[in-house]
Amino acid sequence: MKKMLISVILILFASLSIWQYSGLVMPYLKIHYSFALELLFMAGQLFIQLALLSFHKKNLLKEYLYAKSLSLGIGTGVMWLFMGIFYLYPVSAREALIAFIFSLAIIYAVHQERIYALKLPYYFSYTWILYRILVFVLIADF
């Protein structure tokens, strides 16, 4: 129960963080990004990952959700660090987007390490990043 509560809090924190960060990259978005929209994207991402996991090892659903939320929590902590720096030293949307990609790389690295610790197939470390790239391509305005 404790891990599930931590997972939910970290997923909500990550959604809030990505929504707040979207204000920095708004010139690159063709839609108005809201907290509800980010929660919807996060739910879709988790649904796909948990569906794939249920075909592999159903007994790891809670452990995977916890590992996923930890990686999100660490990466979004980095995002908040960037937002703090950008508050003091404003940057362009392009520079904010590069910092966002760096934050995603941290989430990916932690997620990949947790995937290997849970002894899951390596492709699980790619599922969320591919989903996020697809979402970004759909909402990006280049």
Side-chain angles (χ1 to χ4, degrees), residues 53-69:
L53 186 61
S54 69
F55 290 119
H56 186 69
K57 291 183 178 179
K58 286 184 182 183
N59 61 335
L60 289 180
L61 290 174
K62 285 182 186 177
E63 288 300 316
Y64 175 76
L65 186 62
Y66 182 69
K68 170 71 175 170
S69 62

Side-chain angles (χ1 to χ4, degrees), residues 23-116:
L24 296 171
V25 295
M26 196 57 77
Y28 291 118
L29 303 178
K30 54 181 149 177
I31 61 169
H32 175 71
Y33 209 82
S34 67
F35 179 63
L37 185 61
E38 175 53 35
L39 278 177
L40 189 65
F41 288 149
M42 188 69 72
Q45 173 182 340
L46 290 171
F47 176 77
I48 291 169
Q49 290 175 302
L50 293 176
L52 288 172
L53 186 61
S54 69
F55 290 119
H56 186 69
K57 291 183 178 179
K58 286 184 182 183
N59 61 335
L60 289 180
L61 290 174
K62 285 182 186 177
E63 288 300 316
Y64 175 76
L65 186 62
Y66 182 69
K68 170 71 175 170
S69 62
L70 285 178
S71 65
L72 284 170
I74 291 168
T76 53
V78 172
M79 250 186 262
W80 279 99
L81 176 67
F82 280 130
M83 284 191 282
I85 292 169
F86 298 160
Y87 178 77
L88 297 173
Y89 305 102
V91 297
S92 70
R94 178 173 293 162
E95 293 164 329
L97 184 61
I98 291 168
F100 182 73
I101 292 169
F102 179 76
S103 299
L104 287 179
I106 290 172
I107 294 171
Y108 174 79
V110 174
H111 184 256
Q112 185 178 38
E113 186 272 328
R114 299 304 316 148
I115 289 295
Y116 294 151

